[in-house]
Amino acid sequence: MSDVNNTLDAVQIAAHKLTADLADVLVRGYLKEHPSMVAFRLGVLAGAVDQVRTAVKAERAEGRWPQLTADPAAEHERARARFAGHHCDCPYCLHAL
C-alpha cells in the first residue's frame, strides 16, 4: 500500500473515531476512551487539516478559481441530509451503530 493510501486510511479512521469521541462528550459528558488515545487522533486530524488549509490558502492566492456561486453551508447541509438518510450494516458506517 502506498504512503498516500496509508495516510488517507489513518485520517479516515481518526475522523470516524473522533465522531464517536464527540458523541461521548455531547451525550455522556465524558470520554469513553483514554484521553491520550483521543489526543493522538486529534494530532492526526490536525496535521491533515493544516495540510489542506495550506493548499486552500495557496490556491486562493493564485486566483485560479472562479468566484464561488454556491453556498458552502447549504451544500454541506445537503450532503449531511444525504448521509443522514443512509443506512447499512457496514461496521464502518456510523448509521450501523
Side-chain angles (χ1 to χ4, degrees):
M1 189 177 274
S2 74
D3 287 345
V4 170
N5 286 342
N6 287 333
T7 298
L8 295 176
D9 285 351
V11 170
Q12 183 74 28
I13 293 302
H16 184 81
K17 287 189 165 257
L18 177 66
T19 304
D21 298 332
L22 180 58
D24 291 343
V25 171
L26 293 174
V27 175
R28 291 181 180 82
Y30 59 89
L31 296 168
K32 287 192 319 184
E33 197 167 356
H34 194 284
S36 294
M37 298 294 283
V38 175
F40 177 82
R41 287 193 283 276
L42 291 173
V44 169
L45 294 171
V49 168
D50 290 346
Q51 192 169 0
V52 174
R53 184 173 283 130
T54 297
V56 166
K57 287 179 184 177
E59 293 194 22
R60 280 180 170 166
E62 289 174 6
R64 290 185 303 140
W65 289 87
Q67 183 172 348
L68 184 64
T69 58
D71 175 10
E75 291 293 323
H76 181 76
E77 180 55 28
R78 277 192 283 281
R80 189 214 55 79
R82 274 193 312 276
F83 180 78
H86 169 79
H87 299 281
C88 75
D89 59 0
C90 168
Y92 300 105
C93 180
L94 296 174
H95 292 251
L97 299 177

